[in-house]
Amino acid sequence: MGSYLITGGTVVTATDTVAADVFIDGEQIAAILAPGSLLGAGLRREGVPVISADGCYVLPGGVDPHTHFEAEGQSVPVLDTFATGTRAAALGGTTTVIDFAYARPGERPAQGLDWYHSKADGQCAVDYGFHMMLTSCDAGTVADVDQLMDRGVTSFKLYTAYTGTLYSTDDVILRMLQHSRRSGALMMLHAENGPAIDVLREQAVEAGQTEPRYHARTRPAALEAEAVHRVTRLAEVAGAPVYIVHLSSAEGLGEVVRARARGVRVLAETCPQYLFLDEDRLALPGFEGASFVCSPPLRAKEDQEALWKGLSDRHLQNVATDHCPFCRDQRLPGVDDFRKIPNGLPGVEHRLEQVFHGGVAGGKISLNRWVEICSTAPAKIFGLYPRKGTLAPGADADVVIFDPHAGHVVSAKTHHMNVDYSVYEGQALSGAVRTVLLRGKVVVDDGRYTGASGDGRFLARGASITEP
Ligand code: URP
Ligand code: ZN
Ligand code: ZN
Protein backbone atom coordinates (compact mmCIF):
# COMPACT_ATOMS: atom_id res chain seq x y z
CA MET A 1 0.00 0.00 0.00
CA GLY A 2 1.63 3.22 -1.11
CA SER A 3 0.73 6.84 -1.61
CA TYR A 4 -0.98 8.59 -4.49
CA LEU A 5 -1.65 12.15 -5.53
CA ILE A 6 -4.82 12.54 -7.59
CA THR A 7 -4.48 15.77 -9.54
CA GLY A 8 -6.45 18.00 -11.86
CA GLY A 9 -9.95 16.86 -10.92
CA THR A 10 -12.98 18.48 -9.35
CA VAL A 11 -13.58 17.01 -5.90
CA VAL A 12 -17.28 16.49 -5.29
CA THR A 13 -18.71 15.63 -1.88
CA ALA A 14 -22.25 15.92 -0.55
CA THR A 15 -21.52 19.54 0.34
CA ASP A 16 -18.67 20.84 -1.84
CA THR A 17 -17.56 21.04 -5.44
CA VAL A 18 -13.98 22.27 -5.60
CA ALA A 19 -10.95 22.01 -7.85
CA ALA A 20 -8.50 20.14 -5.61
CA ASP A 21 -5.86 17.45 -5.47
CA VAL A 22 -6.28 14.45 -3.18
CA PHE A 23 -3.32 13.03 -1.28
CA ILE A 24 -3.72 9.41 -0.26
CA ASP A 25 -1.29 7.90 2.21
CA GLY A 26 -1.72 4.20 2.80
CA GLU A 27 -5.37 3.30 3.24
CA GLN A 28 -6.62 6.76 4.06
CA ILE A 29 -7.07 10.22 2.67
CA ALA A 30 -4.23 12.32 4.09
CA ALA A 31 -5.16 15.73 2.68
CA ILE A 32 -7.31 17.59 0.18
CA LEU A 33 -4.99 20.16 -1.40
CA ALA A 34 -5.46 23.31 -3.43
CA PRO A 35 -4.21 22.61 -6.96
CA GLY A 36 -0.51 23.45 -7.21
CA SER A 37 -0.03 23.68 -3.43
CA LEU A 38 3.44 23.56 -1.90
CA LEU A 39 2.71 20.21 -0.25
CA GLY A 40 1.56 18.81 -3.60
CA ALA A 41 4.73 20.04 -5.31
CA GLY A 42 6.83 18.49 -2.54
CA LEU A 43 5.04 15.16 -2.88
CA ARG A 44 5.71 15.16 -6.62
CA ARG A 45 9.42 15.84 -6.00
CA GLU A 46 9.47 12.92 -3.58
CA GLY A 47 8.12 10.73 -6.39
CA VAL A 48 4.62 10.06 -5.05
CA PRO A 49 2.77 8.50 -8.02
CA VAL A 50 0.32 10.86 -9.68
CA ILE A 51 -3.08 9.82 -11.00
CA SER A 52 -4.46 12.40 -13.40
CA ALA A 53 -8.14 13.26 -13.01
CA ASP A 54 -8.11 16.04 -15.62
CA GLY A 55 -11.64 16.84 -16.73
CA CYS A 56 -13.10 14.37 -14.22
CA TYR A 57 -15.00 14.41 -10.95
CA VAL A 58 -13.32 12.88 -7.91
CA LEU A 59 -15.83 11.51 -5.42
CA PRO A 60 -16.12 9.13 -2.49
CA GLY A 61 -16.70 5.49 -3.41
CA GLY A 62 -20.31 4.48 -3.73
CA VAL A 63 -22.14 2.73 -0.89
CA ASP A 64 -24.88 0.32 -2.04
CA PRO A 65 -26.88 -0.67 1.03
CA HIS A 66 -29.07 -3.32 -0.62
CA THR A 67 -27.66 -6.44 -2.32
CA HIS A 68 -28.46 -10.16 -2.26
CA PHE A 69 -25.29 -12.00 -3.32
CA GLU A 70 -25.41 -15.81 -3.16
CA ALA A 71 -28.91 -15.73 -1.66
CA GLU A 72 -30.65 -19.10 -1.61
CA GLY A 73 -34.00 -18.16 -0.11
CA GLN A 74 -36.04 -18.39 -3.32
CA SER A 75 -36.71 -21.46 -5.49
CA VAL A 76 -33.40 -21.00 -7.34
CA PRO A 77 -30.10 -19.46 -6.18
CA VAL A 78 -29.05 -15.89 -6.96
CA LEU A 79 -26.29 -16.13 -9.56
CA ASP A 80 -23.83 -13.48 -8.46
CA THR A 81 -21.50 -14.68 -5.76
CA PHE A 82 -19.82 -12.31 -3.33
CA ALA A 83 -16.78 -12.53 -5.63
CA THR A 84 -18.50 -11.79 -8.94
CA GLY A 85 -21.06 -9.33 -7.59
CA THR A 86 -18.59 -7.19 -5.69
CA ARG A 87 -16.22 -7.14 -8.68
CA ALA A 88 -19.06 -5.75 -10.81
CA ALA A 89 -19.80 -3.27 -8.01
CA ALA A 90 -16.17 -2.08 -8.02
CA LEU A 91 -16.22 -1.58 -11.79
CA GLY A 92 -19.24 0.65 -11.32
CA GLY A 93 -17.63 2.74 -8.58
CA THR A 94 -19.28 1.10 -5.58
CA THR A 95 -16.66 0.38 -2.92
CA THR A 96 -18.99 -0.68 -0.10
CA VAL A 97 -21.98 -3.00 -0.20
CA ILE A 98 -24.31 -4.05 2.59
CA ASP A 99 -25.85 -7.44 1.88
CA PHE A 100 -28.85 -9.12 3.48
CA ALA A 101 -27.87 -12.10 5.60
CA TYR A 102 -30.54 -14.48 6.85
CA ALA A 103 -30.79 -17.62 8.94
CA ARG A 104 -31.85 -20.92 7.42
CA PRO A 105 -35.01 -22.52 8.84
CA GLY A 106 -34.43 -23.70 12.41
CA GLU A 107 -31.32 -21.56 12.89
CA ARG A 108 -30.87 -18.39 14.92
CA PRO A 109 -29.73 -15.12 13.29
CA ALA A 110 -26.23 -15.51 14.78
CA GLN A 111 -25.86 -18.77 12.84
CA GLY A 112 -27.10 -16.98 9.74
CA LEU A 113 -24.39 -14.39 10.26
CA ASP A 114 -21.75 -17.12 10.61
CA TRP A 115 -23.02 -18.64 7.36
CA TYR A 116 -22.82 -15.30 5.55
CA HIS A 117 -19.30 -14.69 6.83
CA SER A 118 -18.33 -18.11 5.50
CA LYS A 119 -19.66 -17.13 2.05
CA ALA A 120 -18.23 -13.61 1.89
CA ASP A 121 -15.00 -13.50 3.90
CA GLY A 122 -11.94 -13.57 1.66
CA GLN A 123 -14.10 -13.33 -1.48
CA CYS A 124 -15.16 -9.71 -1.79
CA ALA A 125 -13.67 -7.14 -4.14
CA VAL A 126 -15.07 -4.23 -2.08
CA ASP A 127 -15.73 -3.63 1.61
CA TYR A 128 -18.91 -5.19 2.89
CA GLY A 129 -21.29 -5.34 5.80
CA PHE A 130 -24.46 -7.23 6.57
CA HIS A 131 -28.01 -6.44 7.53
CA MET A 132 -29.92 -9.34 9.10
CA MET A 133 -33.34 -10.42 7.90
CA LEU A 134 -35.65 -11.15 10.85
CA THR A 135 -38.14 -13.71 9.59
CA SER A 136 -39.33 -16.05 12.32
CA CYS A 137 -39.41 -13.69 15.27
CA ASP A 138 -40.03 -15.17 18.69
CA ALA A 139 -39.29 -14.37 22.33
CA GLY A 140 -35.55 -14.73 21.67
CA THR A 141 -35.34 -12.27 18.79
CA VAL A 142 -34.63 -9.24 20.97
CA ALA A 143 -31.57 -11.02 22.36
CA ASP A 144 -30.60 -12.04 18.81
CA VAL A 145 -30.66 -8.39 17.76
CA ASP A 146 -28.45 -7.37 20.69
CA GLN A 147 -26.00 -10.17 19.92
CA LEU A 148 -25.74 -9.13 16.28
CA MET A 149 -25.31 -5.47 17.20
CA ASP A 150 -22.21 -6.53 19.14
CA ARG A 151 -20.96 -8.17 15.93
CA GLY A 152 -21.33 -5.03 13.82
CA VAL A 153 -24.73 -5.77 12.30
CA THR A 154 -26.84 -2.79 13.27
CA SER A 155 -29.77 -2.91 10.82
CA PHE A 156 -32.51 -5.51 10.45
CA LYS A 157 -35.12 -6.22 7.77
CA LEU A 158 -38.72 -7.13 8.51
CA TYR A 159 -41.39 -7.96 5.93
CA THR A 160 -45.07 -7.10 5.66
CA ALA A 161 -45.11 -9.28 2.50
CA TYR A 162 -44.47 -12.97 1.67
CA THR A 163 -46.95 -14.63 4.05
CA GLY A 164 -45.85 -18.00 5.37
CA THR A 165 -42.14 -17.36 4.85
CA LEU A 166 -40.70 -13.92 5.52
CA TYR A 167 -43.86 -12.16 6.77
CA SER A 168 -44.14 -10.50 10.18
CA THR A 169 -47.40 -9.48 11.84
CA ASP A 170 -47.94 -5.96 13.18
CA ASP A 171 -47.39 -7.00 16.82
CA VAL A 172 -43.94 -8.37 15.94
CA ILE A 173 -43.06 -5.25 13.95
CA LEU A 174 -44.16 -2.98 16.81
CA ARG A 175 -42.11 -4.94 19.36
CA MET A 176 -39.03 -4.82 17.14
CA LEU A 177 -39.47 -1.07 16.57
CA GLN A 178 -39.83 -0.57 20.33
CA HIS A 179 -36.64 -2.53 20.86
CA SER A 180 -34.85 -0.53 18.17
CA ARG A 181 -35.68 2.67 20.05
CA ARG A 182 -33.90 1.23 23.10
CA SER A 183 -30.99 -0.46 21.34
CA GLY A 184 -30.22 1.92 18.46
CA ALA A 185 -30.74 -0.82 15.88
CA LEU A 186 -32.37 0.39 12.65
CA MET A 187 -35.44 -1.52 11.46
CA MET A 188 -35.84 -1.76 7.68
CA LEU A 189 -39.22 -2.64 6.25
CA HIS A 190 -40.26 -4.33 3.03
CA ALA A 191 -43.62 -2.60 2.83
CA GLU A 192 -46.30 -4.33 0.76
CA ASN A 193 -49.52 -5.83 2.17
CA GLY A 194 -48.76 -9.57 1.82
CA PRO A 195 -52.15 -11.05 2.82
CA ALA A 196 -54.04 -8.76 0.42
CA ILE A 197 -51.56 -9.54 -2.37
CA ASP A 198 -52.17 -13.26 -1.75
CA VAL A 199 -55.89 -12.77 -2.42
CA LEU A 200 -55.26 -10.91 -5.67
CA ARG A 201 -52.72 -13.49 -6.85
CA GLU A 202 -55.04 -16.39 -6.17
CA GLN A 203 -57.93 -14.65 -7.93
CA ALA A 204 -55.77 -13.83 -10.95
CA VAL A 205 -54.59 -17.39 -11.40
CA GLU A 206 -58.14 -18.71 -10.94
CA ALA A 207 -59.19 -16.37 -13.77
CA GLY A 208 -56.43 -17.74 -16.02
CA GLN A 209 -54.29 -14.60 -15.70
CA THR A 210 -50.95 -16.35 -15.37
CA GLU A 211 -48.57 -14.21 -17.48
CA PRO A 212 -45.76 -12.12 -15.92
CA ARG A 213 -47.73 -8.87 -16.23
CA TYR A 214 -50.13 -10.13 -13.56
CA HIS A 215 -47.25 -10.08 -11.11
CA ALA A 216 -47.49 -6.27 -11.24
CA ARG A 217 -51.29 -6.14 -11.42
CA THR A 218 -51.61 -8.18 -8.22
CA ARG A 219 -49.19 -5.99 -6.26
CA PRO A 220 -50.78 -2.54 -6.79
CA ALA A 221 -49.19 0.63 -5.48
CA ALA A 222 -52.12 1.06 -3.08
CA LEU A 223 -50.90 -2.02 -1.21
CA GLU A 224 -47.40 -0.57 -0.93
CA ALA A 225 -48.87 2.71 0.31
CA GLU A 226 -51.04 0.87 2.85
CA ALA A 227 -48.04 -0.96 4.27
CA VAL A 228 -45.87 2.18 4.32
CA HIS A 229 -48.65 3.96 6.18
CA ARG A 230 -49.01 1.13 8.68
CA VAL A 231 -45.31 0.73 9.45
CA THR A 232 -44.75 4.47 9.73
CA ARG A 233 -47.66 4.64 12.20
CA LEU A 234 -46.12 1.76 14.15
CA ALA A 235 -42.79 3.63 14.17
CA GLU A 236 -44.62 6.72 15.38
CA VAL A 237 -46.17 4.76 18.27
CA ALA A 238 -42.79 3.19 19.10
CA GLY A 239 -40.97 6.53 18.86
CA ALA A 240 -38.40 4.84 16.64
CA PRO A 241 -36.93 5.57 13.23
CA VAL A 242 -37.82 3.26 10.37
CA TYR A 243 -36.21 2.70 6.96
CA ILE A 244 -38.37 1.70 3.96
CA VAL A 245 -36.48 -0.44 1.44
CA HIS A 246 -37.05 -0.39 -2.32
CA LEU A 247 -39.86 2.18 -2.35
CA SER A 248 -41.43 2.00 -5.80
CA SER A 249 -44.46 4.24 -6.12
CA ALA A 250 -45.75 7.80 -5.90
CA GLU A 251 -48.48 6.57 -3.54
CA GLY A 252 -45.93 4.95 -1.24
CA LEU A 253 -43.83 8.10 -1.33
CA GLY A 254 -46.91 10.13 -0.38
CA GLU A 255 -47.16 8.14 2.84
CA VAL A 256 -43.47 8.75 3.56
CA VAL A 257 -43.94 12.49 3.03
CA ARG A 258 -47.01 12.58 5.30
CA ALA A 259 -45.27 10.61 8.04
CA ARG A 260 -42.22 12.90 7.88
CA ALA A 261 -44.56 15.90 8.14
CA ARG A 262 -45.90 14.37 11.38
CA GLY A 263 -42.34 14.19 12.69
CA VAL A 264 -41.81 10.45 12.21
CA ARG A 265 -38.18 9.64 11.41
CA VAL A 266 -38.86 7.75 8.17
CA LEU A 267 -35.95 7.12 5.86
CA ALA A 268 -36.42 5.53 2.47
CA GLU A 269 -34.54 4.26 -0.54
CA THR A 270 -35.63 3.70 -4.09
CA CYS A 271 -33.81 1.71 -6.78
CA PRO A 272 -32.70 2.31 -10.39
CA GLN A 273 -35.36 -0.09 -11.69
CA TYR A 274 -38.10 2.17 -10.30
CA LEU A 275 -36.43 5.28 -11.74
CA PHE A 276 -35.83 3.96 -15.26
CA LEU A 277 -38.16 1.04 -16.03
CA ASP A 278 -41.94 0.78 -16.13
CA GLU A 279 -44.54 -1.96 -15.86
CA ASP A 280 -44.93 -2.28 -19.66
CA ARG A 281 -41.77 -4.38 -19.55
CA LEU A 282 -43.69 -7.14 -17.81
CA ALA A 283 -45.98 -7.41 -20.84
CA LEU A 284 -43.13 -8.06 -23.31
CA PRO A 285 -43.96 -11.03 -25.58
CA GLY A 286 -42.54 -14.55 -25.36
CA PHE A 287 -42.10 -14.68 -21.57
CA GLU A 288 -39.55 -11.85 -21.88
CA GLY A 289 -41.60 -10.02 -19.23
CA ALA A 290 -40.43 -12.57 -16.66
CA SER A 291 -36.95 -11.01 -16.81
CA PHE A 292 -38.46 -7.87 -15.23
CA VAL A 293 -40.18 -9.50 -12.25
CA CYS A 294 -39.20 -7.99 -8.92
CA SER A 295 -41.08 -7.02 -5.77
CA PRO A 296 -42.39 -4.42 -5.39
CA PRO A 297 -43.05 -4.53 -9.13
CA LEU A 298 -42.17 -1.97 -11.77
CA ARG A 299 -44.71 0.85 -11.82
CA ALA A 300 -46.00 3.54 -14.21
CA LYS A 301 -43.90 6.27 -15.86
CA GLU A 302 -45.51 8.89 -13.59
CA ASP A 303 -44.13 7.06 -10.55
CA GLN A 304 -40.61 7.53 -11.90
CA GLU A 305 -41.06 11.30 -11.99
CA ALA A 306 -42.43 11.30 -8.45
CA LEU A 307 -39.47 9.26 -7.16
CA TRP A 308 -36.93 11.59 -8.81
CA LYS A 309 -38.70 14.49 -7.16
CA GLY A 310 -38.61 12.64 -3.84
CA LEU A 311 -34.84 12.31 -4.20
CA SER A 312 -34.47 15.97 -5.08
CA ASP A 313 -36.80 17.10 -2.25
CA ARG A 314 -34.88 14.92 0.26
CA HIS A 315 -37.89 12.79 1.17
CA LEU A 316 -35.94 9.82 -0.25
CA GLN A 317 -32.39 9.47 1.02
CA ASN A 318 -30.76 6.68 -0.98
CA VAL A 319 -30.68 4.87 -4.28
CA ALA A 320 -29.82 1.22 -3.63
CA THR A 321 -29.88 -1.53 -6.25
CA ASP A 322 -31.63 -4.48 -4.54
CA HIS A 323 -29.28 -6.47 -6.79
CA CYS A 324 -30.79 -9.97 -6.98
CA PRO A 325 -30.11 -11.51 -10.41
CA PHE A 326 -31.62 -14.64 -11.91
CA CYS A 327 -30.93 -15.62 -15.52
CA ARG A 328 -33.69 -16.18 -18.05
CA ASP A 329 -33.77 -19.98 -17.67
CA GLN A 330 -34.11 -19.73 -13.92
CA ARG A 331 -37.40 -17.90 -14.46
CA LEU A 332 -38.92 -20.66 -16.64
CA PRO A 333 -40.72 -22.44 -13.77
CA GLY A 334 -43.09 -19.47 -13.89
CA VAL A 335 -44.05 -19.92 -17.54
CA ASP A 336 -47.58 -21.07 -16.63
CA ASP A 337 -47.88 -19.24 -13.31
CA PHE A 338 -46.27 -15.86 -12.61
CA ARG A 339 -46.18 -16.74 -8.90
CA LYS A 340 -43.35 -19.20 -9.61
CA ILE A 341 -41.04 -16.63 -11.24
CA PRO A 342 -38.17 -15.80 -8.87
CA ASN A 343 -38.20 -12.13 -7.81
CA GLY A 344 -35.28 -9.78 -8.35
CA LEU A 345 -33.24 -7.85 -10.90
CA PRO A 346 -29.55 -7.28 -11.62
CA GLY A 347 -28.10 -3.78 -11.24
CA VAL A 348 -25.19 -3.45 -8.80
CA GLU A 349 -22.80 -2.37 -11.55
CA HIS A 350 -24.61 0.67 -12.94
CA ARG A 351 -26.09 2.61 -10.01
CA LEU A 352 -23.56 5.46 -9.81
CA GLU A 353 -23.54 6.04 -13.57
CA GLN A 354 -27.32 5.76 -13.84
CA VAL A 355 -28.05 8.24 -11.06
CA PHE A 356 -25.55 10.64 -12.66
CA HIS A 357 -27.14 10.13 -16.06
CA GLY A 358 -30.80 10.41 -15.08
CA GLY A 359 -30.28 12.76 -12.16
CA VAL A 360 -27.38 15.14 -12.83
CA ALA A 361 -27.19 15.08 -16.63
CA GLY A 362 -31.01 14.91 -16.67
CA GLY A 363 -31.20 18.14 -14.67
CA LYS A 364 -33.08 16.59 -11.74
CA ILE A 365 -30.48 16.73 -8.96
CA SER A 366 -27.19 18.52 -8.30
CA LEU A 367 -23.74 16.93 -8.40
CA ASN A 368 -23.59 17.12 -4.61
CA ARG A 369 -26.96 15.46 -4.19
CA TRP A 370 -25.76 12.66 -6.51
CA VAL A 371 -22.83 11.98 -4.20
CA GLU A 372 -25.05 12.27 -1.15
CA ILE A 373 -27.63 9.79 -2.49
CA CYS A 374 -25.09 7.23 -3.72
CA SER A 375 -22.49 7.45 -0.96
CA THR A 376 -22.83 9.89 1.95
CA ALA A 377 -26.40 9.26 3.07
CA PRO A 378 -26.17 5.45 3.00
CA ALA A 379 -22.87 5.68 4.91
CA LYS A 380 -24.51 7.85 7.56
CA ILE A 381 -27.72 5.86 7.83
CA PHE A 382 -25.89 2.55 8.13
CA GLY A 383 -23.25 3.55 10.64
CA LEU A 384 -20.21 3.90 8.37
CA TYR A 385 -19.72 7.68 8.30
CA PRO A 386 -17.24 9.43 8.21
CA ARG A 387 -14.99 6.44 7.49
CA LYS A 388 -17.05 5.89 4.32
CA GLY A 389 -19.17 8.31 2.34
CA THR A 390 -16.91 11.35 2.08
CA LEU A 391 -13.49 12.57 1.00
CA ALA A 392 -11.80 14.12 4.03
CA PRO A 393 -8.56 13.60 5.93
CA GLY A 394 -8.81 10.36 7.92
CA ALA A 395 -11.55 8.84 5.77
CA ASP A 396 -10.89 5.57 3.96
CA ALA A 397 -9.31 6.28 0.58
CA ASP A 398 -12.26 4.88 -1.39
CA VAL A 399 -12.18 7.17 -4.39
CA VAL A 400 -13.94 7.22 -7.75
CA ILE A 401 -12.62 9.17 -10.72
CA PHE A 402 -15.66 9.79 -12.89
CA ASP A 403 -15.51 11.08 -16.46
CA PRO A 404 -18.76 12.96 -17.12
CA HIS A 405 -18.20 12.92 -20.88
CA ALA A 406 -17.32 9.24 -21.41
CA GLY A 407 -20.71 8.05 -22.57
CA HIS A 408 -21.27 4.34 -22.96
CA VAL A 409 -24.09 1.91 -23.61
CA VAL A 410 -25.17 -0.73 -21.10
CA SER A 411 -25.24 -4.27 -22.44
CA ALA A 412 -25.13 -7.84 -21.15
CA LYS A 413 -22.30 -8.32 -23.68
CA THR A 414 -20.06 -5.97 -21.72
CA HIS A 415 -21.34 -5.91 -18.16
CA HIS A 416 -19.58 -7.86 -15.42
CA MET A 417 -22.51 -9.18 -13.42
CA ASN A 418 -23.00 -12.94 -13.61
CA VAL A 419 -26.29 -12.89 -15.48
CA ASP A 420 -27.16 -13.46 -19.13
CA TYR A 421 -29.24 -10.36 -19.80
CA SER A 422 -29.52 -6.73 -18.75
CA VAL A 423 -32.78 -5.04 -17.83
CA TYR A 424 -31.06 -1.85 -19.07
CA GLU A 425 -29.87 -3.30 -22.43
CA GLY A 426 -29.15 -0.38 -24.79
CA GLN A 427 -29.36 2.36 -22.14
CA ALA A 428 -26.97 5.11 -23.28
CA LEU A 429 -25.33 6.64 -20.19
CA SER A 430 -23.71 10.05 -20.25
CA GLY A 431 -20.71 9.44 -17.99
CA ALA A 432 -18.46 6.59 -16.86
CA VAL A 433 -16.46 5.43 -13.89
CA ARG A 434 -12.83 5.55 -14.95
CA THR A 435 -10.68 4.70 -11.95
CA VAL A 436 -11.53 3.36 -8.50
CA LEU A 437 -9.43 3.09 -5.36
CA LEU A 438 -10.41 0.90 -2.44
CA ARG A 439 -8.63 1.98 0.76
CA GLY A 440 -5.76 3.34 -1.34
CA LYS A 441 -5.47 0.40 -3.74
CA VAL A 442 -6.27 0.97 -7.41
CA VAL A 443 -8.89 -1.70 -8.13
CA VAL A 444 -10.16 -0.23 -11.39
CA ASP A 445 -7.70 1.48 -13.72
CA ASP A 446 -9.15 3.24 -16.74
CA GLY A 447 -12.12 0.88 -16.77
CA ARG A 448 -10.05 -2.31 -16.28
CA TYR A 449 -10.36 -4.35 -13.11
CA THR A 450 -7.00 -4.53 -11.32
CA GLY A 451 -8.12 -5.72 -7.89
CA ALA A 452 -8.55 -9.18 -6.45
CA SER A 453 -11.10 -11.22 -4.55
CA GLY A 454 -10.34 -10.66 -0.90
CA ASP A 455 -9.46 -6.98 -1.24
CA GLY A 456 -12.73 -6.21 0.51
CA ARG A 457 -12.98 -6.27 4.31
CA PHE A 458 -15.92 -6.85 6.61
CA LEU A 459 -17.21 -3.62 8.12
CA ALA A 460 -18.49 -3.81 11.67
CA ARG A 461 -20.94 -0.92 11.60
CA GLY A 462 -21.92 1.56 14.27
CA ALA A 463 -25.14 3.35 15.07
CA SER A 464 -27.25 5.04 12.42
CA ILE A 465 -27.41 8.75 11.84
CA THR A 466 -31.13 8.99 11.18
CA GLU A 467 -31.13 12.66 10.20
CA PRO A 468 -28.61 12.49 7.34
O1 URP B 1 -37.70 -8.79 -6.03
C1 URP B 1 -36.88 -8.53 -5.16
N1 URP B 1 -36.74 -7.30 -4.74
N2 URP B 1 -36.12 -9.48 -4.62
C2 URP B 1 -35.21 -9.34 -3.58
C3 URP B 1 -35.82 -9.57 -2.24
C4 URP B 1 -36.37 -8.32 -1.60
O2 URP B 1 -37.52 -8.35 -1.17
O3 URP B 1 -35.68 -7.33 -1.47
ZN1 ZN C 1 -37.66 -6.64 0.04
ZN1 ZN D 1 -33.88 -6.87 -1.55
Side-chain angles (χ1 to χ4, degrees), residues 297-317:
L298 303 181
R299 304 290 186 190
K301 286 208 169 57
E302 303 79 64
D303 291 281
Q304 296 170 18
E305 286 312 309
L307 295 172
W308 278 114
K309 189 163 180 329
L311 287 166
S312 147
D313 291 348
R314 309 182 74 81
H315 292 306
L316 296 175
Q317 286 70 41

Side-chain angles (χ1 to χ4, degrees), residues 407-447:
H408 68 111
V409 177
V410 175
S411 173
K413 293 193 187 77
T414 48
H415 75 200
H416 302 85
M417 299 173 286
N418 186 30
V419 60
D420 62 356
Y421 77 103
S422 173
V423 287
Y424 305 108
E425 187 70 36
Q427 185 182 34
L429 297 174
S430 39
V433 169
R434 214 183 73 189
T435 296
V436 180
L437 289 88
L438 174 71
R439 279 180 283 95
K441 176 176 174 177
V442 177
V443 293
V444 177
D445 184 10
D446 215 3

Side-chain angles (χ1 to χ4, degrees), residues 66 68 74 157 159 162 190 246 293-296 322 324 343-344:
H66 193 150
H68 297 277
Q74 300 197 45
K157 184 176 178 187
Y159 292 77
Y162 305 122
H190 177 132
H246 47 48
V293 165
C294 58
S295 294
D322 195 4
C324 188
N343 286 207

Side-chain angles (χ1 to χ4, degrees), residues 63-97:
V63 178
D64 185 345
H66 193 150
T67 62
H68 297 277
F69 301 129
E70 285 184 59
E72 298 169 37
Q74 300 197 45
S75 54
V76 286
V78 166
L79 286 178
D80 261 317
T81 61
F82 279 92
T84 62
T86 56
R87 182 170 173 272
L91 281 152
T94 289
T95 50
T96 297
V97 295

Side-chain angles (χ1 to χ4, degrees), residues 43 49 222 463:
L43 292 166

Side-chain angles (χ1 to χ4, degrees), residues 210-215 277-294 298 326-332 334-336 338 341-342 344-346 412 419-426:
T210 57
E211 300 96 328
R213 68 196 151 111
Y214 292 104
H215 173 77
L277 305 174
D278 65 67
E279 65 195 338
D280 291 352
R281 303 292 184 114
L282 285 123
L284 286 172
F287 200 53
E288 194 58 25
S291 299
F292 294 85
V293 165
C294 58
L298 303 181
F326 300 100
C327 70
R328 288 173 160 134
D329 279 0
Q330 285 179 301
R331 295 175 191 260
L332 286 173
V335 76
D336 294 321
F338 67 86
I341 302 169
L345 303 182
V419 60
D420 62 356
Y421 77 103
S422 173
V423 287
Y424 305 108
E425 187 70 36

